RNA sequence: GUGGAUGUAGCUCAAUGGUAGAGCCCCGGCUUGUGAUGCCGGUGGUUGUGGGUUCGAGUCCCAUCAUCCACCCCA
C-alpha cells in the first residue's frame, strides 16, 4: 500500500459515481447547445507550445509557469493544452473556414495546468467550451450568454450569479490603462506586494485584489467601464438591454478582469459561493483580435468555458442504474441454460446481472445488494420446463413464466 | 511557488511513551431452492515513507511524500 503506484498529483480518476454526474452534464450541454446551432468539435490535447505563447500570452501564469511542456523524440516543443480557445482558433484557420460563414463550435475535454491542487482546482480538469467565430454584434454576445444561462439553468444549479463587464478595445484601453496606472502609482505605498508586481505585469488585476487594505485604496479607482470609446459603449449598452429583454439576471462588475491576454470588450463570469475560493464555474468573453493574431483575416469571435468538475460538485449524487433482472442458477447442471436465459433477457432489452452460481442464499444476497427489480431463479425443474421462476423482489411474489413473458414483465415494470 | 491542517484495516474513527481496537463494508455459516432485520464466525495493518530520541514510538523530534484548505492564479 505504501509503495502502491498512485495517479499523478492533482490528476484524479473518474470513478462511476463521478462519471454519472459528468455524463449528465455533458448530455444537458449537448442538448442545449444544439438548440443554439452549435456543433461539437474534438481537438488535439497536444499542441505546439508556440500556439499558447502567442495566443494566451507569454506573460500569463498559465503559459509562463503552468504548462506541461516538453520536447518530444523528434525535438518538437509541444505541450498539453492548458485551455481550449487557442486550439479552436488554430483549427478554424487550418481548416480554411474563414470564408465559410459563422462557425458555432463546442467541445468537451481535458485541459492541463500544473498548479497547486485545491478544492475545485485540478491539474487535469475538463472544460465544456463554446466558441463562435465571425460574429461581432452585441446580439451574439447576448445569445451566447443566454446559452450559458440556459445550460446552467437546465442543470438545475441554484444560486449562481452572472457578472459582466467590458474590457474595452485597442482604441480605448491603452488610455484607460495609463490613467489607472497613474492612480495606482499615487497610492503605491499602501498597496500589497503582489499588487506591485501586478502593476508591471497586468495593472487591471490590481482591481480585484482580495487584500482588504488594497481594496480600501481602490474605492474611487477609475474603471474601464467609465472610459469606453463610443463603439464599445454602445456595444455594451445593447448587450445589457438584451440581457434585460431575456430576463437573464446579471450584475455589472467593473472589477472583472480576465487573465488571458486575448479578451476584449465583453467579459463575464458565472460564480457560485459554494466552492470556496474557486467559485468561478463558467467564464468567457470576446476575443476579436485573436484570429488575426494567429495569421488569419480579421475575425471577431466570442466564447466561454465551464469547468466540468466544478459543476459536478454542485450536483447531487446520481443514483446508479439498477438491474432489471438478476439471474440465479441453482446447481452446475443448469449453468449453461442460465447463461442462455441471461443472454435472451438482454437481447430482449433488459439490464441483467448474472449472480455466478453458488448457494441460493449467496446469490439472493447479491441480487439484493445490486437492487435488482426481479430475480430469475433457474434450477433443474425450470430447465426441463423451458421456463424460469420470476420473483418480484419488492412484493416477494414469484411465478413460473417463459423468457418472453419475463421480458414483457420486466419492461412494463421498469418502463414507468 | 508560499503558508496552515491532516495521514492508523477497503471506509469512518479509537488507542495516559508499555501486547494496535471498534463500527460499517467484504467473505462464510445459522440443516443444503429464496434476499433486506437478527445471531455466530472469518479475512484484512511493517500505524504514509525514511531517519532520530528512548530499555521501549501509532504516540516525542527532523525530513520527505500525499491529501485537504488558503494565498497566487483560474474553469
Amino acid at each position: 500500500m505504501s509503495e502502491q503506484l498512485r495517479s499523478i498529483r492533482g490528476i484524479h480518476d473518474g470513478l462511476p459515481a463521478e462519471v454519472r454526474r459528468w455524463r449528465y452534464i455533458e448530455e444537458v450541454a449537448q442538448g442545449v447547445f444544439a438548440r443554439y446551432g452549435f456543433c461539437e468539435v474534438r481537438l488535439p490535447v497536444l499542441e505546439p507550445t508556440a500556439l499558447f505563447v502567442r495566443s494566451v500570452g507569454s506573460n500569463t501564469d498559465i503559459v509562463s509557469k503552468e504548462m506541461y511542456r516538453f520536447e518530444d523524440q523528434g525535438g518538437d516543443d509541444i505541450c498539453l493544452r492548458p485551455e481550449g480557445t487557442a486550439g479552436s482558433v488554430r483549427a478554424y484557420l487550418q481548416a480554411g473556414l474563414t470564408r465559410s460563414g459563422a462557425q458555432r463550435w463546442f467541445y468537451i475535454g481535458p485541459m492541463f495546468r500544473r498548479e497547486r491542487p485545491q478544492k475545485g482546482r485540478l491539474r487535469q480538469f475538463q472544460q465544456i467550451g463554446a466558441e463562435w467565430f465571425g460574429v461581432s454584434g452585441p446580439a451574439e454576445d447576448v445569445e451566447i450568454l443566454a446559452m450559458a444561462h440556459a445550460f446552467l439553468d437546465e442543470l438545475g444549479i441554484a444560486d449562481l450569479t452572472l457578472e459582466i463587464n467590458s474590457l474595452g478595445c485597442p482604441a480605448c484601453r491603452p488610455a484607460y490603462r495609463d490613467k489607472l496606472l497613474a492612480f495606482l502609482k499615487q497610492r503605491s505605498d499602501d498597496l500589497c506586494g503582489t499588487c506591485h508586481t501586478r502593476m508591471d505585469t497586468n495593472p487591471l488585476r490590481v482591481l480585484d485584489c482580495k487584500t482588504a487594505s488594497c481594496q480600501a485604496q481602490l474605492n474611487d479607482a477609475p474603471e474601464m467601464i467609465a472610459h469606453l470609446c463610443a463603439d464599445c459603449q454602445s456595444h455594451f449598452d445593447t448587450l445589457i438591454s438584451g440581457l434585460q429583454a431575456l430576463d437573464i439576471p446579471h450584475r455589472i462588475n467593473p472589477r472583472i478582469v480576465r487573465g488571458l491576454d486575448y479578451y476584449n470588450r465583453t467579459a463575464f463570469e458565472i460564480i457560485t459561493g459554494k466552492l470556496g475560493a474557486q467559485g468561478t464555474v463558467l467564464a468567457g468573453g470576446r476575443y476579436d483580435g485573436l484570429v488575426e493574431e494567429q495569421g488569419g483575416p480579421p475575425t471577431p469571435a466570442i466564447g466561454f468555458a465551464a469547468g466540468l468538475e466544478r459543476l459536478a460538485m454542485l450536483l447531487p449524487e446520481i443514483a446508479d442504474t439498477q438491474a432489471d433482472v438478476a439471474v440465479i442458477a441453482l446447481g452446475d447442471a443448469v449453468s449453461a441454460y442460465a447463461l442462455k436465459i441471461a443472454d435472451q433477457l438482454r437481447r430482449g432489452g433488459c439490464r441483467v446481472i448474472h449472480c455466478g452460481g453458488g448457494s441460493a442464499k449467496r446469490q439472493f444476497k447479491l441480487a439484493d445488494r445490486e437492487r435488482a427489480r426481479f430475480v430469475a431463479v433457474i434450477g433443474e425443474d425450470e430447465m426441463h420446463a423451458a421456463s424460469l421462476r420470476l420473483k418480484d423482489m419488492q412484493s416477494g411474489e414469484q411465478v413460473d413464466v417463459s423468457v418472453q413473458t419475463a421480458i414483457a414483465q420486466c419492461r412494463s415494470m421498469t418502463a414507468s
Side-chain angles (χ1 to χ4, degrees):
Chain A
M1 171 185 176
S2 53
E3 300 193 3
Q4 196 176 350
L5 246 27
R6 294 183 52 90
S7 66
I8 294 167
R9 177 172 206 194
I11 298 185
H12 293 184
D13 300 310
L15 298 177
E18 193 63 23
V19 173
R20 280 197 288 275
R21 290 196 186 89
W22 292 352
R23 288 193 52 162
Y24 167 67
I25 295 168
E26 289 166 8
E27 283 160 18
V28 170
Q30 280 161 351
V32 172
F33 294 174
R35 296 207 291 273
Y36 284 81
F38 280 65
C39 305
E40 183 171 1
V41 291
R42 302 194 180 187
L43 302 176
V45 168
L46 287 170
E47 292 277 8
T49 302
L51 172 64
F52 301 104
V53 173
R54 289 229 310 259
S55 302
V56 180
S58 56
N59 58 339
T60 59
D61 281 13
I62 288 177
V63 169
S64 64
K65 47 191 183 194
E66 295 175 1
M67 285 206 298
Y68 283 97
R69 174 182 182 180
F70 58 96
E71 199 175 277
D72 73 4
Q73 291 88 330
D76 293 327
D77 185 3
I78 61 179
C79 65
L80 259 25
R81 64 180 181 192
E83 57 96 52
T85 299
S88 298
V89 171
R90 197 223 80 236
Y92 169 76
L93 286 175
Q94 189 171 329
L97 295 169
T98 54
R99 306 194 131 247
S100 300
Q103 296 289 310
R104 289 178 294 264
W105 290 2
F106 76 92
Y107 56 83
I108 303 172
M111 306 294 165
F112 304 82
R113 294 180 196 170
R114 199 185 180 287
E115 303 178 84
R116 191 87 172 253
Q118 197 182 319
K119 185 186 183 75
R121 195 170 77 180
L122 300 165
R123 288 182 171 184
Q124 175 177 340
F125 60 101
Q126 299 174 86
Q127 283 190 337
I128 298 183
E131 313 289 354
W132 193 352
F133 297 107
V135 292
S136 60
E140 285 83 7
D141 295 33
V142 176
E143 284 253 286
I144 206 157
L145 279 163
M147 184 169 89
H149 180 256
F151 169 46
L152 298 173
D153 191 53
E154 193 165 320
L155 282 177
I157 297 174
D159 299 325
L160 294 173
T161 29
L162 166 61
E163 302 199 334
I164 188 159
N165 191 21
S166 177
L167 302 177
C169 68
C172 50
R173 189 153 40 175
Y176 162 70
R177 188 188 148 110
D178 291 345
K179 187 165 182 177
L180 175 64
L181 215 45
F183 173 89
L184 295 175
K185 276 178 182 156
Q186 283 175 2
R187 298 146 205 257
S188 68
D189 292 347
D190 300 312
L191 295 173
C192 70
T194 45
C195 277
H196 279 103
T197 47
R198 282 194 272 240
M199 283 172 65
D200 294 329
T201 56
N202 189 350
L204 306 207
R205 278 236 90 91
V206 176
L207 291 176
D208 65 357
C209 180
K210 285 169 192 160
T211 311
S213 57
C214 286
Q215 281 303 325
Q217 296 299 318
L218 296 170
N219 283 331
D220 51 352
E223 290 169 341
M224 183 70 242
I225 215 169
H227 296 79
L228 297 174
C229 61
D231 285 349
C232 285
Q233 186 67 54
S234 81
H235 186 101
F236 190 68
D237 292 343
T238 312
L239 161 59
I240 295 299
S241 58
L243 292 177
Q244 286 165 351
L246 291 178
D247 278 329
I248 295 173
H250 61 279
R251 193 170 78 81
I252 295 173
N253 179 357
R255 301 288 167 92
I256 286 186
V257 181
R258 309 265 48 242
L260 284 43
D261 283 0
Y262 50 64
Y263 287 112
N264 70 297
R265 284 193 176 161
T266 310
F268 53 89
E269 295 183 359
I270 296 179
I271 298 168
T272 175
K274 293 176 182 169
L275 291 180
Q278 252 59 44
T280 304
V281 131
L282 183 152
R286 183 161 273 288
Y287 48 95
D288 291 337
L290 186 54
V291 174
E292 189 174 9
E293 196 169 308
Q294 279 197 29
T299 306
I302 185 166
F304 67 76
L308 184 56
E309 288 85 352
R310 288 187 186 176
L311 291 173
M313 282 191 280
L314 299 172
L315 254 31
E317 180 112 8
I318 295 173
D320 195 2
T321 55
Q322 62 191 67
D324 297 325
V325 190
V327 171
I328 290 182
L330 299 172
D332 293 342
V334 302
S335 66
Y337 178 72
L339 285 169
K340 203 171 167 187
I341 293 291
D343 182 58
Q344 287 172 349
L345 289 167
R346 292 189 182 113
R347 286 168 191 267
C350 301
R351 287 166 300 190
V352 180
I353 59 161
H354 189 293
C355 294
S359 78
K361 177 159 292 207
R362 190 195 79 81
Q363 295 189 74
F364 265 93
K365 280 186 174 175
L366 213 120
D368 196 56
R369 193 165 64 225
E370 301 269 355
R371 301 187 354 268
R373 185 68 181 74
F374 293 97
V375 158
V377 186
I378 296 163
E380 294 192 36
D381 293 347
E382 287 79 8
M383 181 169 70
H384 295 318
S387 69
L388 56 87
R389 175 161 290 192
L390 191 68
K391 175 166 182 176
D392 183 323
M393 292 295 272
Q394 281 173 22
S395 67
E397 291 169 19
Q398 43 190 343
V399 286
D400 289 320
V401 295
S402 69
V403 181
Q404 287 313 316
T405 310
I407 290 169
Q409 175 78 302
C410 292
R411 300 194 66 166
S412 71
M413 291 296 283
T414 52
S416 52

